[in-house]
Amino acid sequence: MFKKFTFRKQKASSFNELVEEAKKGYIPNHIAIIMDGNGRWAKRRAMPRIAGHHEGMKVVRKITKFANKMGVKVLTLYAFSTENWKRPQQEVDFLMKLPQEFLGTFLPELVEENVQVRLIGQRDGLPAHTRESVEKAIKATQHNTGLILNFALNYGSRDEMVYAIQNLVTDSNSGKIQPHEITEDVFSSYLMTSSLPDPDLLIRTSGEIRISNFMLWQIAYTELWFTDVFWPDFTEEHLLEAIVNFQRRGRRFGGV
Ligand code: V0D
C-alpha cells in the first residue's frame, strides 16, 4: 500500500573527505583576507580589544597552514591599514609587537613548511622593531617555494597607487618610459603586488560588506566572499566553505 520510507544512508562526509573533494577542483591561486572583527570578538567576551588581536594572530597561523595544505599559492592578509594609525596609541603599540611575537614563535614552522613571507605597504612608516623582525623573516624565507604569505602592513590601496604614479612619472621624466607605453600591465608592475597574480578570492570576516581601500586595482575580477564570522572564530572549515563556494561560481572575466 504505502511505499515504505527508505532511509538512504547519508554518508556523513568528514572534514578530510571534503578537503580531498575540494582539492580535485580549481583551488584559487591567490586568496586575500580582510581579517576583521577582532575587537568586537573581544568586546563580546568583556575582554580588552588587544585580547582579540592576540587571538586573531593564532588564527593567522592556523589558516596559513591550511591554505598551504590546500595548495593555495598566495595568501594576502590585511593586518594593518594606513587608517589604523588613528586607533588609540596603546592599541597601535600592541599591534606593532604582534609580528615579532608571531615570528618569534612561528618562523621556524614557516621555514619548515616552505612558506615564503612577503610584505606590502609602506615600510618607512613602521616602527623599526616591527620592520626589522618582518624583514628578518622575509630574508629567512626568500628562497622557499611553497605558499607565499603576504602581509599587508601599513597598506592602503590609494596610497599604493599614488606611490606607483610617483615612480611612473619619475621614470617618464627620465625618459625610461613614454606615456603611450603605459599599459595596464605596466601600471600593475609599479604596484607593491607586482610579482603576484591578482587575487581570485577576497574574504572579509565579521559582517562588514566593504572593501576599505584594499587592493582596489587588483580585485577588478576577484570573487568576493563576506561572512559574519569574527576573525578569531574563523576556522579551516570556514575557509573550505569559501573555497567550495568559489568553485561553484563560473568566472568569465567579462566574457560569456
Ligand atoms: C591583529 C588579526 C600576525 C588582525 C591578526 C602589525 C589584527 C592578528 C601579524 C604578522 C596582526 C605580521 C607580519 C608578519 C608576521 C605576522 C600581524 C599585525 C596584526 C599588525 F611578518 N597577526 N597580526 N600583524 N593581528
Side-chain angles (χ1 to χ4, degrees):
M1 241 192 338
F2 292 108
K3 192 167 177 276
K4 260 199 200 148
F5 284 111
T6 51
F7 290 95
R8 199 176 337 142
K9 240 193 217 155
Q10 182 69 48
K11 191 158 159 269
S13 312
S14 73
F15 177 65
N16 280 324
E17 285 168 337
L18 293 171
V19 165
E20 290 315 313
E21 205 51 39
K23 277 170 124 179
K24 289 179 197 157
Y26 179 75
I27 298 296
N29 275 320
H30 185 175
I31 299 179
I33 309 183
I34 304 175
M35 307 180 288
D36 203 5
N38 303 284
R40 268 172 292 156
W41 178 91
K43 198 176 173 192
R44 283 219 179 154
R45 286 165 175 72
M47 288 153 85
R49 290 175 57 81
I50 57 169
H53 296 318
H54 198 263
E55 197 63 26
M57 185 187 72
K58 297 189 208 159
V59 176
V60 168
R61 176 203 181 206
K62 190 173 72 182
I63 294 303
T64 299
K65 275 178 131 123
F66 183 63
N68 200 11
K69 175 178 162 183
M70 290 301 291
V72 173
K73 302 282 194 309
V74 185
L75 180 66
T76 296
L77 300 178
Y78 205 2
F80 195 90
S81 79
T82 49
E83 300 304 302
N84 288 154
W85 298 109
K86 293 177 191 156
R87 291 183 180 180
Q89 187 63 44
Q90 280 186 41
E91 186 177 334
V92 170
D93 290 347
F94 180 85
L95 285 166
M96 286 301 149
K97 286 180 198 144
L98 285 181
Q100 276 151 287
E101 182 178 347
F102 181 94
L103 296 165
T105 317
F106 303 127
L107 182 57
E109 202 173 289
L110 296 177
V111 172
E112 177 95 10
E113 286 167 16
N114 201 22
V115 171
Q116 187 186 116
V117 176
R118 294 215 205 164
L119 190 61
I120 56 170
Q122 299 290 357
R123 295 186 188 197
D124 295 347
L126 296 171
H129 65 89
T130 308
R131 185 179 165 157
E132 282 159 16
S133 55
V134 178
E135 282 177 349
K136 191 185 128 202
I138 291 170
K139 218 167 165 212
T141 61
Q142 63 182 335
H143 299 299
N144 287 354
T145 55
L147 175 81
I148 294 174
L149 176 58
N150 183 35
F151 285 103
L153 246 63
N154 194 21
Y155 174 86
S157 185
R158 290 182 174 184
D159 180 71
E160 176 190 40
M161 287 194 264
V162 167
Y163 184 73
I165 294 290
Q166 287 176 357
N167 288 321
L168 203 41
V169 172
T170 301
D171 286 351
S172 174
N173 287 343
S174 71
K176 248 175 139 179
I177 191 161
Q178 300 297 315
H180 72 268
E181 293 174 323
I182 302 170
T183 60
E184 291 186 12
D185 284 345
V186 168
F187 183 72
S188 294
S189 76
Y190 279 80
L191 297 173
M192 293 159 176
T193 49
S194 59
S195 54
L196 302 173
D198 287 339
D200 302 291
L201 173 63
L202 170 65
I203 298 171
R204 180 169 189 156
T205 59
S206 97
E208 305 299 335
I209 321 285
R210 290 189 295 278
I211 301 300
S212 302
N213 201 19
F214 188 52
M215 297 182 115
L216 298 176
W217 172 272
Q218 296 90 339
I219 63 167
Y221 295 102
T222 301
E223 298 289 337
L224 309 177
W225 176 258
F226 298 98
T227 170
D228 287 339
V229 175
F230 293 143
W231 178 252
D233 290 327
F234 197 78
T235 62
E236 293 94 334
E237 283 84 356
H238 292 119
L239 181 56
L240 180 66
E241 183 189 9
I243 291 172
V244 168
N245 178 278
F246 169 87
Q247 291 178 332
R248 293 199 192 115
R249 304 188 195 182
R251 299 180 77 206
R252 290 178 294 277
F253 297 96
V256 287

